[in-house]
């Protein structure tokens, strides 16, 4: 055992990039305090970016503002994100991750209960993350640099969302067109209602009836409910 430890120590001293070795000859695998602190700081900056976009809009959000919102100097921010583009990319990834987690939670908490699932997901759309993402999506329409960041991440998110839907609703797998239609209807209708609500374009008294309509529509699309819906049949 002593010989093995000496060999390990010798190997470490000859390679400055080697992982630290304990007295038992085992490499330390736990993340260090510094890496945990760095991850926490990155999360603070992403959260600050979301708040700034919600409060001031994407066009008015600049890196000094984000740094101040996070309680950091601009230099400290650049230590974690080398550019504003890198920070925006990380923010979009975080917003997508939150949506996937919210979808999973709503589905797992309300197995077979379409009404509760619809209402739970609707509540997620009331959070700042939804507004932040819509700000980014609209800005990307006329901002080529932002679009170059957002569009590939959006395509990746769509694939993950559809894959997750297949995992959470295995009974739909045999009729993928029904699942795709149900997911698209739910996402487009609920997000559209929320956007209309934010802009004052919908009477708020219509929101619950619209969600009820969505619930009935999703139930009607369940496998075994009505004629089979396939791309071949539609053609």
């Amino acid at each position: 055992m002593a010989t093995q430890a000496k060999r390990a120590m010798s190997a470490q001293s000859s390679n400055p990039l080697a992982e630290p070795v304990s007295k038992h000859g085992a490499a330390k695998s736990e993340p260090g305090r510094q890496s945990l602190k760095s991850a926490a700081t990155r999360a603070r900056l992403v959260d600050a970016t979301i708040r700034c976009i919600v409060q001031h809009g994407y066009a008015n959000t600049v890196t000094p503002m984000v740094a101040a919102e996070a309680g950091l100097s601009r230099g400290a921010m650049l230590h974690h994100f080398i550019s504003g583009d890198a920070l925006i990319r990380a923010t979009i990834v975080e917003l997508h991750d939150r949506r996937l987690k919210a979808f999973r939670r709503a589905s797992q908490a309300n197995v077979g209960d379409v009404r509760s699932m619809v209402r739970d997901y609707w509540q997620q759309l009331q959070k700042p993350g939804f507004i932040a993402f819509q700000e980014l999506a609209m800005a990307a329409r006329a901002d080529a640099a932002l679009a170059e960041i957002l569009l590939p991440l959006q395509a990746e998110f769509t694939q993950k969302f559809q894959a997750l839907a297949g995992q959470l609703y295995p009974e739909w797998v045999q009729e993928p067109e029904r699942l795709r239609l149900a997911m698209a209807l739910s996402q487009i209708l609920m997000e559209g209602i929320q956007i209309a609500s934010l802009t004052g374009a919908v009477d708020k008294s219509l929101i619950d009836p619209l969600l009820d309509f969505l619930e009935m529509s999703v139930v009607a699309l369940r496998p075994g409910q009505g004629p089979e819906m396939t791309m071949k049949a539609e053609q």
Side-chain angles (χ1 to χ4, degrees):
M1 181 71 75
T3 302
Q4 291 178 346
K6 287 180 179 179
R7 288 175 180 172
M9 294 286 288
S10 176
Q12 182 189 9
S13 62
S14 64
N15 181 4
L17 298 181
E19 292 183 340
V21 178
S22 72
K23 64 181 180 178
H24 300 294
K28 294 181 179 179
S29 58
E30 294 183 1
R33 183 181 302 174
Q34 189 60 39
S35 62
L36 292 174
K37 182 179 178 181
S38 177
T41 303
R42 287 173 63 88
R44 279 173 60 190
L45 285 164
V46 167
D47 286 341
T49 302
I50 292 171
R51 291 195 299 272
C52 287
I53 291 174
V54 171
Q55 295 170 11
H56 307 289
Y58 172 74
N60 297 318
T61 296
V62 292
T63 51
M65 177 190 295
V66 172
E69 178 70 22
L72 299 168
S73 68
R74 188 167 183 272
M77 183 191 72
L78 292 175
H79 176 73
H80 296 279
F81 294 102
I82 62 173
S83 67
D85 285 353
L87 179 56
I88 286 296
R89 178 182 175 82
T91 300
I92 295 170
V93 169
E94 173 64 17
L95 291 171
H96 283 162
D97 284 347
R98 290 183 186 183
R99 290 179 69 191
L100 290 172
K101 290 175 182 176
F103 176 47
R104 180 185 290 277
R105 285 196 303 269
S107 299
Q108 293 178 334
N110 305 290
V111 178
D113 186 348
V114 175
R115 180 177 180 81
S116 295
M117 189 195 72
V118 166
R119 263 56 183 189
D120 278 5
Y121 193 71
W122 171 250
Q123 289 304 313
Q124 291 298 319
L125 300 183
Q126 314 308 306
K127 296 184 177 181
F130 176 76
I131 298 175
F133 183 79
Q134 294 306 316
E135 282 280 343
L136 290 165
M138 291 303 295
R141 184 186 65 82
D143 187 324
L146 177 58
E148 189 174 349
I149 297 171
L150 185 142
L151 295 180
L153 292 175
Q154 184 64 16
E156 180 181 327
F157 166 78
T158 300
Q159 291 181 342
K160 290 181 178 179
F161 191 79
Q162 292 174 350
L164 180 58
Q167 295 173 16
L168 295 172
Y169 302 100
E171 70 276 13
W172 293 65
V173 172
Q174 299 304 317
E175 297 189 46
E177 289 306 315
R178 282 181 180 269
L179 177 58
R180 189 171 71 161
L181 184 57
M183 299 309 299
L185 176 63
S186 301
Q187 182 180 356
I188 293 170
L189 183 57
M190 281 196 280
E191 293 184 6
I193 294 172
Q194 177 60 354
I195 291 171
S197 177
L198 291 170
T199 59
V202 65
D203 184 339
K204 291 187 182 296
S205 67
L206 293 176
I207 292 178
D208 277 337
L210 285 168
L211 295 178
D212 289 340
F213 172 78
L214 173 60
E215 176 193 347
M216 291 185 294
S217 299
V218 171
V219 170
L221 284 169
R222 278 177 168 170
Q225 303 290 322
E228 182 180 1
M229 296 181 64
T230 64
M231 294 298 291
K232 184 176 179 180
E234 291 173 3
Q235 293 172 355

